[in-house]
Amino acid sequence: MATMREQAAPLRRVDGSPVRVLVVDDEAPLSDLLSMALRYEGWDVRTAADGSSAVREFRAFRPDAVVLDVMLPDFDGLEVLRRMRAQAPDVPVLFLTARDSVEDRVAGLTVGGDDYVTKPFSLEELVARLRGLLRRSGMTAARQGSELVVGDLVLDEDSREVRRADRLVELTATEFELLRYLMRNPRIVLSKAKILDQVWNYDFGGQSNVVELYVSYLRKKIDAGHSPMIHTVRGAGYVLKPAAG
C-alpha cells in the first residue's frame, strides 16, 4: 500500500479494525477458498460447517456480515438466519445455494437475506457483492469521502486537517504523509524500509533514522495527553492502532 499511488480504500470498522465476516458452508474446499479471498481483502474471517456451529460462532464472533449456504447438514440456512436475526437484526447476509428457483430466492429474501448467489459463482462477483452490502451497512465504516478514521484519530486528505478526539493537530507536510501511510495500514506492522519507500519514495539503507525521528515528532503531537496509538515493534517497525480503553 502506498500514499502516492491510487488504490481502493479497504473497508474498515469504525474503530479501524478489520471487517469481520462469518462464512457458513459445509464444503471445506469452498469454505477455504472463500476465506482466503476475504482475508485478501484485509478482513477477519471465521468459518462454520453446520447450522449449530454457525449460530455459536455468530454469537461469539459478532460478525459484520455473513456468507451463508442454504443447504447445511443439521438445519438449513433459512433457520440459521432466523436465529441470527433474533440476535442482530441488521447484519447483512449473502446467501449461497446450488438451487436457482424463484421460490428459493424468494424464501431466502423473505426471511431477511440481503443478497443471493447461485453456485457455481464468480469469486470476484461474490466479493464485490459482499463489499456492496458492507458499504450500505451501518455496522461498518468504509472510507467516508476524504477521511481516514482510526479510533478517535481522523485525517482529512482534502483539507489536510488532522484531529485527535476532536482536537486539531498541526502537522508538517512530511508528518502528514507519514501519518496518512500509517492510517491507511492500521494494525499492520510497517518496517522502516517500507515506510522510507512509501513516504519518502526512495530507499537509502543507512538513513533509516529519519523514520525514527519523524515517528518521534508524530508521537509528541498525536499521542500527547492521550493513550498511545503509535507503537514500536522491536526489530520489526511501527504500528498504529486504536488506543486501548
Side-chain angles (χ1 to χ4, degrees):
M1 295 183 181
T3 56
M4 302 302 178
R5 304 181 183 105
E6 289 297 323
Q7 73 171 84
L11 296 179
R12 293 275 175 180
R13 308 179 92 204
V14 171
D15 65 359
S17 63
V19 166
R20 297 177 183 176
V21 180
L22 175 62
V23 175
V24 184
D25 197 297
D26 62 333
E27 298 179 47
L30 178 58
S31 181
D32 291 343
L33 183 64
L34 279 172
S35 299
M36 181 178 66
L38 300 181
R39 289 189 178 108
Y40 184 78
E41 292 289 312
W43 301 343
D44 188 1
V45 182
R46 289 193 191 177
T47 62
D50 55 53
S52 300
S53 58
V55 173
R56 287 196 302 271
E57 282 289 351
F58 184 85
R59 185 180 300 115
F61 186 41
R62 296 182 175 274
D64 301 304
V66 180
V67 178
L68 178 59
D69 191 12
V70 172
M71 300 299 293
L72 295 170
D74 44 5
F75 47 88
D76 66 22
L78 302 184
E79 178 59 27
V80 173
L81 180 58
R82 290 188 187 96
R83 299 187 188 192
M84 289 179 177
R85 286 284 185 247
Q87 299 177 44
D90 299 323
V91 174
V93 173
L94 177 67
F95 269 122
L96 300 179
T97 183
R99 301 180 299 184
D100 193 25
S101 72
V102 173
E103 291 79 8
D104 290 328
R105 291 174 183 264
V106 170
L109 297 176
T110 298
V111 297
D114 298 281
D115 204 349
Y116 204 102
V117 175
T118 304
K119 299 177 182 178
F121 52 82
S122 158
L123 198 57
E124 292 79 6
E125 179 188 0
L126 183 142
V127 172
R129 288 198 187 193
L130 195 55
R131 285 179 65 90
L133 291 178
L134 285 163
R135 284 195 190 97
R136 294 192 294 271
S137 169
M139 299 186 68
T140 61
R143 180 177 160 195
Q144 300 293 323
S146 65
E147 287 189 349
L148 299 174
V149 181
V150 179
D152 62 355
L153 183 63
V154 180
L155 180 150
D156 190 307
E157 295 183 298
D158 289 340
S159 67
R160 298 184 71 83
E161 285 189 351
V162 174
R163 293 182 178 275
R164 174 87 194 264
D166 291 326
R167 179 181 63 85
L168 188 65
V169 180
E170 297 288 346
L171 299 179
T172 67
T174 302
E175 290 166 353
F176 182 89
E177 293 300 333
L178 174 57
L179 181 62
R180 175 157 61 177
Y181 182 51
L182 293 172
M183 291 184 71
R184 283 187 174 179
N185 297 273
R187 299 178 181 270
I188 297 174
V189 178
L190 302 169
S191 68
K192 293 178 184 177
K194 190 174 291 186
I195 293 172
L196 276 172
D197 180 53
Q198 302 297 343
V199 177
W200 278 265
N201 284 322
Y202 56 85
D203 183 6
F204 51 103
Q207 300 297 321
S208 63
N209 61 322
V210 71
V211 177
E212 298 173 20
L213 183 63
Y214 273 89
V215 167
S216 71
Y217 292 159
L218 265 187
R219 279 186 170 135
K220 290 174 183 176
K221 295 182 177 183
I222 298 300
D223 289 341
H226 301 279
S227 298
M229 294 182 69
I230 303 172
H231 304 270
T232 300
V233 180
R234 191 174 300 276
Y238 300 97
V239 60
L240 181 140
K241 56 187 177 181

